[in-house]
Amino acid sequence: MDRSLLLTDLLSRVSRSFYLTLRVLPSVMREPIGLAYLLARASDTIADTELVPSSRRLELLDAFGRAIQSESVRAPVMKDLEKHQQDDSEAELLRVCHEAIDLLREVPEENRQLIQEVLKIIISGQQLDLERFHNGSGNGIISLDTSEELTDYTYRVAGCVGAFWTRVSLLHLKGNPSVPADELERLGIRFGQGLQRVNILRDFQKDLSMGRCYLPKESWEPTGW
């Protein structure tokens, strides 16, 4: 695939509403945020391909993460995951993810470091999810235990994205914000975590049917549920 199409044609097909957001961002922010999203979308597809054993998905996530952090390690071949994708665009994303990593290695270092940092955290959250719930089923539900685990989970998969957007904005946008940078980042993290909590409530019944519960046991167990 022509690399120029990665952040336009392919991104628009795998991101849906996000691509509309990306188009109205200042142009200097589109590449780092679009590329980070594309890589995170690929890792999410790896983690969510349930017809493939969790052990294999963990192996691929680890290899994919190492390729992102490296200057030379090639992304793993994922033909066994490609064939299980119901969406052709998702299969194509897995097929060309090595090109997205090649593109990452060409972006300015300050952008590359921010992208690598946020992807490291996101992939760690996806790996933790697979390790935590791999034995779950509709008949045997596995739950988070504490609110601290919930806070950690929402940070890894969404809060860190709020921090990433904040850092990219502070790096590239002109002007002096009236709010200190660390406070902006804290608010970005909280915003991302809040959105993920909304997702947890939205997907609650579906998650239960798959044997997982993100609402911590310390909250619901005293009710006798």
Side-chain angles (χ1 to χ4, degrees):
M1 170 179 282
D2 186 330
R3 290 185 188 176
S4 65
L5 297 178
L6 286 172
L7 300 183
T8 53
D9 176 65
L10 181 58
L11 185 60
S12 68
R13 287 188 279 122
V14 298
S15 66
R16 297 175 289 277
S17 59
F18 175 80
Y19 187 67
L20 301 178
T21 302
L22 190 68
R23 292 186 63 183
V24 300
L25 287 176
S27 59
V28 72
M29 295 177 61
R30 291 174 197 163
E31 181 178 75
I33 289 181
L35 183 54
Y37 182 93
L38 197 67
L39 292 167
R41 193 75 186 82
S43 67
D44 195 50
T45 302
I46 296 170
D48 287 347
T49 306
E50 294 173 359
L51 294 176
V52 174
S54 58
S55 58
R56 172 60 175 162
R57 286 179 276 161
L58 282 167
E59 175 188 337
L60 289 171
L61 277 174
D62 179 67
F64 186 59
R66 284 188 284 107
I68 289 172
Q69 302 300 323
S70 168
E71 295 183 0
S72 58
V73 175
R74 189 172 174 81
V77 176
M78 295 181 273
K79 290 187 180 296
D80 52 338
L81 267 70
E82 288 177 36
K83 66 183 181 182
H84 290 300
Q85 304 307 314
Q86 295 181 343
D87 188 315
D88 290 341
S89 296
E90 298 285 347
E92 183 178 4
L93 175 60
L94 294 180
R95 189 164 53 252
V96 303
C97 66
H98 65 279
E99 297 183 31
I101 291 177
D102 289 341
L103 181 58
L104 172 64
R105 291 166 182 165
E106 296 174 2
V107 303
E109 182 178 2
E110 52 195 6
N111 284 336
R112 184 170 67 253
Q113 289 179 345
L114 290 176
I115 294 170
Q116 289 172 324
E117 181 180 356
V118 73
L119 262 295
K120 184 175 183 179
I121 298 170
I122 289 172
I123 290 175
S124 77
Q126 294 163 339
Q127 291 170 322
L128 178 61
D129 228 31
L130 283 174
E131 292 166 353
R132 176 182 280 144
F133 296 121
H134 74 281
N135 285 326
S137 69
N139 296 320
I141 296 171
I142 297 172
S143 173
L144 273 64
D145 289 322
T146 66
S147 58
E148 287 78 14
E149 289 180 347
L150 176 60
T151 297
D152 176 68
Y153 167 73
T154 56
Y155 171 74
R156 293 192 197 214
V157 299
C160 66
V161 178
F164 170 71
W165 275 65
T166 303
R167 292 169 186 171
V168 172
S169 299
L170 291 171
L171 177 63
H172 291 292
L173 300 184
K174 297 180 180 179
N176 296 311
S178 58
V179 179
D182 58 348
E183 177 64 8
L184 285 174
E185 189 169 314
R186 186 190 72 82
L187 292 172
I189 291 170
R190 292 279 291 171
F191 183 68
Q193 290 176 306
L195 290 176
Q196 188 61 29
R197 284 175 181 250
V198 171
N199 289 341
I200 287 170
L201 294 176
R202 181 196 63 191
D203 297 335
F204 181 66
Q205 290 292 346
K206 177 183 175 182
D207 285 335
L208 283 183
S209 71
M210 297 168 64
R212 60 194 185 198
C213 177
Y214 290 98
L215 300 184
K217 185 179 295 185
E218 69 177 17
S219 298
W220 56 258
E221 194 170 43
T223 70
W225 180 50

